[in-house]
Amino acid sequence: PSWRFKVRTFMRVISDSLPSLLGVKAFDKSKEDFFINLVNDTMKYREDNKVERNDFIQILMNLKKIDENMEIDPNNESHVILDDKLLAANTFIFFIAGFETTATTLTFSMYELAVNQDIQDKLRQEVQTTFEKYGAINYDSTKDMDYLDRVISETLRKYPIAGSLIRRCTKAWQVPGAKGKLEVGDRVVIPVYPIHHDPKYYPEP
């Protein structure tokens, strides 16, 4: 990352609104244009050629069609209009949140399976049994693999992708056993890694 990117990221950590107030965008215009054009071109191709796929872009296209058929109340501030920029932004977030995180989780899963032969054998047996039942490995058959879900969950516990999460408080809340109180708008830092490894929460992980 360049120093410009680091400065922009630091500003966003300090305050969500600070970059907007100063007119600083999170990413360069060239990257923004790339994703907007990517989404627009993909949607246009599918509409022109009557192509439908079971993926994230298709979900957004279906939502956009529903949105276009709805009667929008201009006075309703809670209604979000699905324009091209918003669709591209969601695609970008999906790409950022789903690409490297998935690869990293699978890498750690493979490592753990390599050093824990008994778990590997048990998982392999489940996969083979499920394959015989469904005749294929697909979304439905994968959902039926309970042990696989536990292997991935334990991998994420041991090697969380995010060391911490930053969230914004939406309701006033009294912290149990403390004098402190969270007010609406307060930023909360959740230490994911320490919680996942704290014996208070996981005495026998």
Side-chain angles (χ1 to χ4, degrees), residues 2 13 21-22 31 66 71 105 116 132 137 153-154 159 168 190:
S2 66
V13 169
L21 290 171
L22 299 177
K31 295 180 178 69
I66 294 170
E71 290 185 10
T105 301
N116 293 281
E132 289 169 7
I137 299 296
S153 295
E154 176 64 357
Y159 313 99
R168 188 176 299 284
I190 304 163

mmCIF file with all atom_site columns, all heavy atoms in Angstrom, residues 2 13 21-22 31 66 71 105 116 132 137 153-154 159 168 190:
data_model
loop_
_atom_site.group_PDB
_atom_site.id
_atom_site.type_symbol
_atom_site.label_atom_id
_atom_site.label_alt_id
_atom_site.label_comp_id
_atom_site.label_asym_id
_atom_site.label_entity_id
_atom_site.label_seq_id
_atom_site.pdbx_PDB_ins_code
_atom_site.Cartn_x
_atom_site.Cartn_y
_atom_site.Cartn_z
_atom_site.occupancy
_atom_site.B_iso_or_equiv
_atom_site.pdbx_formal_charge
_atom_site.auth_seq_id
_atom_site.auth_comp_id
_atom_site.auth_asym_id
_atom_site.auth_atom_id
_atom_site.pdbx_PDB_model_num
ATOM 1   N N   . SER A 1 2   ? 0.432   2.242   -0.763 1.00 0.00 ? 2   SER A N   1
ATOM 2   C CA  . SER A 1 2   ? 1.156   3.502   -0.812 1.00 0.00 ? 2   SER A CA  1
ATOM 3   C C   . SER A 1 2   ? 0.889   4.307   0.458  1.00 0.00 ? 2   SER A C   1
ATOM 4   O O   . SER A 1 2   ? -0.039  4.008   1.219  1.00 0.00 ? 2   SER A O   1
ATOM 5   C CB  . SER A 1 2   ? 0.709   4.309   -2.034 1.00 0.00 ? 2   SER A CB  1
ATOM 6   O OG  . SER A 1 2   ? -0.655  4.686   -1.891 1.00 0.00 ? 2   SER A OG  1
ATOM 7   N N   . VAL A 1 13  ? -10.250 5.221   10.173 1.00 0.00 ? 13  VAL A N   1
ATOM 8   C CA  . VAL A 1 13  ? -10.259 4.614   11.501 1.00 0.00 ? 13  VAL A CA  1
ATOM 9   C C   . VAL A 1 13  ? -10.608 5.660   12.557 1.00 0.00 ? 13  VAL A C   1
ATOM 10  O O   . VAL A 1 13  ? -11.346 5.393   13.503 1.00 0.00 ? 13  VAL A O   1
ATOM 11  C CB  . VAL A 1 13  ? -8.878  3.971   11.813 1.00 0.00 ? 13  VAL A CB  1
ATOM 12  C CG1 . VAL A 1 13  ? -8.780  3.570   13.282 1.00 0.00 ? 13  VAL A CG1 1
ATOM 13  C CG2 . VAL A 1 13  ? -8.659  2.755   10.922 1.00 0.00 ? 13  VAL A CG2 1
ATOM 14  N N   . LEU A 1 21  ? -15.686 14.509  4.594  1.00 0.00 ? 21  LEU A N   1
ATOM 15  C CA  . LEU A 1 21  ? -15.627 15.959  4.847  1.00 0.00 ? 21  LEU A CA  1
ATOM 16  C C   . LEU A 1 21  ? -14.467 16.614  4.105  1.00 0.00 ? 21  LEU A C   1
ATOM 17  O O   . LEU A 1 21  ? -14.568 17.751  3.640  1.00 0.00 ? 21  LEU A O   1
ATOM 18  C CB  . LEU A 1 21  ? -15.497 16.223  6.351  1.00 0.00 ? 21  LEU A CB  1
ATOM 19  C CG  . LEU A 1 21  ? -16.728 15.924  7.222  1.00 0.00 ? 21  LEU A CG  1
ATOM 20  C CD1 . LEU A 1 21  ? -16.376 16.034  8.702  1.00 0.00 ? 21  LEU A CD1 1
ATOM 21  C CD2 . LEU A 1 21  ? -17.877 16.875  6.885  1.00 0.00 ? 21  LEU A CD2 1
ATOM 22  N N   . LEU A 1 22  ? -13.365 15.884  3.993  1.00 0.00 ? 22  LEU A N   1
ATOM 23  C CA  . LEU A 1 22  ? -12.177 16.414  3.315  1.00 0.00 ? 22  LEU A CA  1
ATOM 24  C C   . LEU A 1 22  ? -12.149 16.075  1.831  1.00 0.00 ? 22  LEU A C   1
ATOM 25  O O   . LEU A 1 22  ? -11.201 16.428  1.129  1.00 0.00 ? 22  LEU A O   1
ATOM 26  C CB  . LEU A 1 22  ? -10.914 15.867  3.992  1.00 0.00 ? 22  LEU A CB  1
ATOM 27  C CG  . LEU A 1 22  ? -10.728 16.240  5.473  1.00 0.00 ? 22  LEU A CG  1
ATOM 28  C CD1 . LEU A 1 22  ? -9.485  15.567  6.048  1.00 0.00 ? 22  LEU A CD1 1
ATOM 29  C CD2 . LEU A 1 22  ? -10.631 17.757  5.647  1.00 0.00 ? 22  LEU A CD2 1
ATOM 30  N N   . LYS A 1 31  ? -9.626  2.669   -9.958 1.00 0.00 ? 31  LYS A N   1
ATOM 31  C CA  . LYS A 1 31  ? -10.129 1.416   -9.385 1.00 0.00 ? 31  LYS A CA  1
ATOM 32  C C   . LYS A 1 31  ? -11.646 1.457   -9.265 1.00 0.00 ? 31  LYS A C   1
ATOM 33  O O   . LYS A 1 31  ? -12.341 0.462   -9.506 1.00 0.00 ? 31  LYS A O   1
ATOM 34  C CB  . LYS A 1 31  ? -9.491  1.167   -8.014 1.00 0.00 ? 31  LYS A CB  1
ATOM 35  C CG  . LYS A 1 31  ? -7.988  0.945   -8.079 1.00 0.00 ? 31  LYS A CG  1
ATOM 36  C CD  . LYS A 1 31  ? -7.418  0.695   -6.708 1.00 0.00 ? 31  LYS A CD  1
ATOM 37  C CE  . LYS A 1 31  ? -5.924  0.433   -6.753 1.00 0.00 ? 31  LYS A CE  1
ATOM 38  N NZ  . LYS A 1 31  ? -5.153  1.623   -7.116 1.00 0.00 ? 31  LYS A NZ  1
ATOM 39  N N   . ILE A 1 66  ? -36.552 -5.871  -8.847 1.00 0.00 ? 66  ILE A N   1
ATOM 40  C CA  . ILE A 1 66  ? -37.599 -5.690  -7.826 1.00 0.00 ? 66  ILE A CA  1
ATOM 41  C C   . ILE A 1 66  ? -37.682 -4.223  -7.440 1.00 0.00 ? 66  ILE A C   1
ATOM 42  O O   . ILE A 1 66  ? -38.764 -3.655  -7.297 1.00 0.00 ? 66  ILE A O   1
ATOM 43  C CB  . ILE A 1 66  ? -37.308 -6.565  -6.585 1.00 0.00 ? 66  ILE A CB  1
ATOM 44  C CG1 . ILE A 1 66  ? -37.406 -8.045  -6.953 1.00 0.00 ? 66  ILE A CG1 1
ATOM 45  C CG2 . ILE A 1 66  ? -38.273 -6.241  -5.445 1.00 0.00 ? 66  ILE A CG2 1
ATOM 46  C CD1 . ILE A 1 66  ? -36.898 -8.985  -5.864 1.00 0.00 ? 66  ILE A CD1 1
ATOM 47  N N   . GLU A 1 71  ? -42.868 1.187   -6.029 1.00 0.00 ? 71  GLU A N   1
ATOM 48  C CA  . GLU A 1 71  ? -43.185 2.618   -5.979 1.00 0.00 ? 71  GLU A CA  1
ATOM 49  C C   . GLU A 1 71  ? -42.380 3.236   -4.849 1.00 0.00 ? 71  GLU A C   1
ATOM 50  O O   . GLU A 1 71  ? -42.581 2.920   -3.680 1.00 0.00 ? 71  GLU A O   1
ATOM 51  C CB  . GLU A 1 71  ? -44.686 2.830   -5.750 1.00 0.00 ? 71  GLU A CB  1
ATOM 52  C CG  . GLU A 1 71  ? -45.542 2.432   -6.937 1.00 0.00 ? 71  GLU A CG  1
ATOM 53  C CD  . GLU A 1 71  ? -47.004 2.779   -6.719 1.00 0.00 ? 71  GLU A CD  1
ATOM 54  O OE1 . GLU A 1 71  ? -47.294 3.494   -5.739 1.00 0.00 ? 71  GLU A OE1 1
ATOM 55  O OE2 . GLU A 1 71  ? -47.840 2.349   -7.512 1.00 0.00 ? 71  GLU A OE2 1
ATOM 56  N N   . THR A 1 105 ? -8.502  -19.029 4.900  1.00 0.00 ? 105 THR A N   1
ATOM 57  C CA  . THR A 1 105 ? -9.185  -20.019 5.742  1.00 0.00 ? 105 THR A CA  1
ATOM 58  C C   . THR A 1 105 ? -8.963  -21.430 5.209  1.00 0.00 ? 105 THR A C   1
ATOM 59  O O   . THR A 1 105 ? -8.692  -22.361 5.983  1.00 0.00 ? 105 THR A O   1
ATOM 60  C CB  . THR A 1 105 ? -10.697 -19.723 5.807  1.00 0.00 ? 105 THR A CB  1
ATOM 61  O OG1 . THR A 1 105 ? -10.890 -18.414 6.342  1.00 0.00 ? 105 THR A OG1 1
ATOM 62  C CG2 . THR A 1 105 ? -11.422 -20.724 6.688  1.00 0.00 ? 105 THR A CG2 1
ATOM 63  N N   . ASN A 1 116 ? -3.352  -33.339 11.520 1.00 0.00 ? 116 ASN A N   1
ATOM 64  C CA  . ASN A 1 116 ? -4.305  -34.086 12.351 1.00 0.00 ? 116 ASN A CA  1
ATOM 65  C C   . ASN A 1 116 ? -4.964  -35.167 11.485 1.00 0.00 ? 116 ASN A C   1
ATOM 66  O O   . ASN A 1 116 ? -6.081  -34.977 10.978 1.00 0.00 ? 116 ASN A O   1
ATOM 67  C CB  . ASN A 1 116 ? -5.362  -33.155 12.942 1.00 0.00 ? 116 ASN A CB  1
ATOM 68  C CG  . ASN A 1 116 ? -4.774  -32.180 13.953 1.00 0.00 ? 116 ASN A CG  1
ATOM 69  O OD1 . ASN A 1 116 ? -4.521  -32.534 15.111 1.00 0.00 ? 116 ASN A OD1 1
ATOM 70  N ND2 . ASN A 1 116 ? -4.549  -30.948 13.524 1.00 0.00 ? 116 ASN A ND2 1
ATOM 71  N N   . GLU A 1 132 ? -21.933 -40.060 -2.042 1.00 0.00 ? 132 GLU A N   1
ATOM 72  C CA  . GLU A 1 132 ? -22.748 -41.229 -2.407 1.00 0.00 ? 132 GLU A CA  1
ATOM 73  C C   . GLU A 1 132 ? -24.235 -40.937 -2.276 1.00 0.00 ? 132 GLU A C   1
ATOM 74  O O   . GLU A 1 132 ? -25.046 -41.431 -3.055 1.00 0.00 ? 132 GLU A O   1
ATOM 75  C CB  . GLU A 1 132 ? -22.364 -42.412 -1.506 1.00 0.00 ? 132 GLU A CB  1
ATOM 76  C CG  . GLU A 1 132 ? -20.978 -42.984 -1.803 1.00 0.00 ? 132 GLU A CG  1
ATOM 77  C CD  . GLU A 1 132 ? -20.512 -43.975 -0.748 1.00 0.00 ? 132 GLU A CD  1
ATOM 78  O OE1 . GLU A 1 132 ? -21.334 -44.306 0.151  1.00 0.00 ? 132 GLU A OE1 1
ATOM 79  O OE2 . GLU A 1 132 ? -19.346 -44.414 -0.797 1.00 0.00 ? 132 GLU A OE2 1
ATOM 80  N N   . ILE A 1 137 ? -20.906 -33.019 -5.364 1.00 0.00 ? 137 ILE A N   1
ATOM 81  C CA  . ILE A 1 137 ? -20.583 -32.039 -4.324 1.00 0.00 ? 137 ILE A CA  1
ATOM 82  C C   . ILE A 1 137 ? -21.102 -30.693 -4.811 1.00 0.00 ? 137 ILE A C   1
ATOM 83  O O   . ILE A 1 137 ? -20.580 -30.123 -5.775 1.00 0.00 ? 137 ILE A O   1
ATOM 84  C CB  . ILE A 1 137 ? -19.058 -31.963 -4.076 1.00 0.00 ? 137 ILE A CB  1
ATOM 85  C CG1 . ILE A 1 137 ? -18.525 -33.313 -3.601 1.00 0.00 ? 137 ILE A CG1 1
ATOM 86  C CG2 . ILE A 1 137 ? -18.734 -30.873 -3.060 1.00 0.00 ? 137 ILE A CG2 1
ATOM 87  C CD1 . ILE A 1 137 ? -19.060 -33.773 -2.258 1.00 0.00 ? 137 ILE A CD1 1
ATOM 88  N N   . SER A 1 153 ? -15.230 -23.993 11.224 1.00 0.00 ? 153 SER A N   1
ATOM 89  C CA  . SER A 1 153 ? -15.473 -23.117 12.383 1.00 0.00 ? 153 SER A CA  1
ATOM 90  C C   . SER A 1 153 ? -14.294 -23.128 13.347 1.00 0.00 ? 153 SER A C   1
ATOM 91  O O   . SER A 1 153 ? -13.893 -22.081 13.879 1.00 0.00 ? 153 SER A O   1
ATOM 92  C CB  . SER A 1 153 ? -16.752 -23.539 13.110 1.00 0.00 ? 153 SER A CB  1
ATOM 93  O OG  . SER A 1 153 ? -17.880 -23.345 12.296 1.00 0.00 ? 153 SER A OG  1
ATOM 94  N N   . GLU A 1 154 ? -13.736 -24.310 13.583 1.00 0.00 ? 154 GLU A N   1
ATOM 95  C CA  . GLU A 1 154 ? -12.591 -24.409 14.498 1.00 0.00 ? 154 GLU A CA  1
ATOM 96  C C   . GLU A 1 154 ? -11.353 -23.773 13.883 1.00 0.00 ? 154 GLU A C   1
ATOM 97  O O   . GLU A 1 154 ? -10.544 -23.154 14.583 1.00 0.00 ? 154 GLU A O   1
ATOM 98  C CB  . GLU A 1 154 ? -12.330 -25.875 14.861 1.00 0.00 ? 154 GLU A CB  1
ATOM 99  C CG  . GLU A 1 154 ? -11.117 -26.108 15.735 1.00 0.00 ? 154 GLU A CG  1
ATOM 100 C CD  . GLU A 1 154 ? -11.203 -25.468 17.127 1.00 0.00 ? 154 GLU A CD  1
ATOM 101 O OE1 . GLU A 1 154 ? -12.204 -24.779 17.428 1.00 0.00 ? 154 GLU A OE1 1
ATOM 102 O OE2 . GLU A 1 154 ? -10.253 -25.640 17.913 1.00 0.00 ? 154 GLU A OE2 1
ATOM 103 N N   . TYR A 1 159 ? -7.528  -19.420 13.841 1.00 0.00 ? 159 TYR A N   1
ATOM 104 C CA  . TYR A 1 159 ? -6.876  -18.448 12.963 1.00 0.00 ? 159 TYR A CA  1
ATOM 105 C C   . TYR A 1 159 ? -7.907  -17.452 12.420 1.00 0.00 ? 159 TYR A C   1
ATOM 106 O O   . TYR A 1 159 ? -8.247  -17.485 11.241 1.00 0.00 ? 159 TYR A O   1
ATOM 107 C CB  . TYR A 1 159 ? -6.192  -19.160 11.791 1.00 0.00 ? 159 TYR A CB  1
ATOM 108 C CG  . TYR A 1 159 ? -5.355  -20.346 12.178 1.00 0.00 ? 159 TYR A CG  1
ATOM 109 C CD1 . TYR A 1 159 ? -5.850  -21.645 12.074 1.00 0.00 ? 159 TYR A CD1 1
ATOM 110 C CD2 . TYR A 1 159 ? -4.050  -20.181 12.656 1.00 0.00 ? 159 TYR A CD2 1
ATOM 111 C CE1 . TYR A 1 159 ? -5.069  -22.747 12.419 1.00 0.00 ? 159 TYR A CE1 1
ATOM 112 C CE2 . TYR A 1 159 ? -3.271  -21.284 13.006 1.00 0.00 ? 159 TYR A CE2 1
ATOM 113 C CZ  . TYR A 1 159 ? -3.788  -22.559 12.895 1.00 0.00 ? 159 TYR A CZ  1
ATOM 114 O OH  . TYR A 1 159 ? -3.025  -23.636 13.239 1.00 0.00 ? 159 TYR A OH  1
ATOM 115 N N   . ARG A 1 168 ? -20.472 0.032   15.150 1.00 0.00 ? 168 ARG A N   1
ATOM 116 C CA  . ARG A 1 168 ? -21.051 1.254   15.706 1.00 0.00 ? 168 ARG A CA  1
ATOM 117 C C   . ARG A 1 168 ? -22.288 0.903   16.521 1.00 0.00 ? 168 ARG A C   1
ATOM 118 O O   . ARG A 1 168 ? -23.130 0.120   16.077 1.00 0.00 ? 168 ARG A O   1
ATOM 119 C CB  . ARG A 1 168 ? -21.431 2.231   14.584 1.00 0.00 ? 168 ARG A CB  1
ATOM 120 C CG  . ARG A 1 168 ? -21.860 3.592   15.102 1.00 0.00 ? 168 ARG A CG  1
ATOM 121 C CD  . ARG A 1 168 ? -22.126 4.560   13.956 1.00 0.00 ? 168 ARG A CD  1
ATOM 122 N NE  . ARG A 1 168 ? -20.934 4.786   13.141 1.00 0.00 ? 168 ARG A NE  1
ATOM 123 C CZ  . ARG A 1 168 ? -19.912 5.549   13.515 1.00 0.00 ? 168 ARG A CZ  1
ATOM 124 N NH1 . ARG A 1 168 ? -19.900 6.108   14.703 1.00 0.00 ? 168 ARG A NH1 1
ATOM 125 N NH2 . ARG A 1 168 ? -18.880 5.719   12.720 1.00 0.00 ? 168 ARG A NH2 1
ATOM 126 N N   . ILE A 1 190 ? -14.107 -4.835  18.906 1.00 0.00 ? 190 ILE A N   1
ATOM 127 C CA  . ILE A 1 190 ? -14.277 -6.188  19.446 1.00 0.00 ? 190 ILE A CA  1
ATOM 128 C C   . ILE A 1 190 ? -13.000 -6.984  19.174 1.00 0.00 ? 190 ILE A C   1
ATOM 129 O O   . ILE A 1 190 ? -12.665 -7.239  18.011 1.00 0.00 ? 190 ILE A O   1
ATOM 130 C CB  . ILE A 1 190 ? -15.482 -6.894  18.787 1.00 0.00 ? 190 ILE A CB  1
ATOM 131 C CG1 . ILE A 1 190 ? -16.749 -6.038  18.958 1.00 0.00 ? 190 ILE A CG1 1
ATOM 132 C CG2 . ILE A 1 190 ? -15.688 -8.284  19.369 1.00 0.00 ? 190 ILE A CG2 1
ATOM 133 C CD1 . ILE A 1 190 ? -17.866 -6.407  18.032 1.00 0.00 ? 190 ILE A CD1 1
#
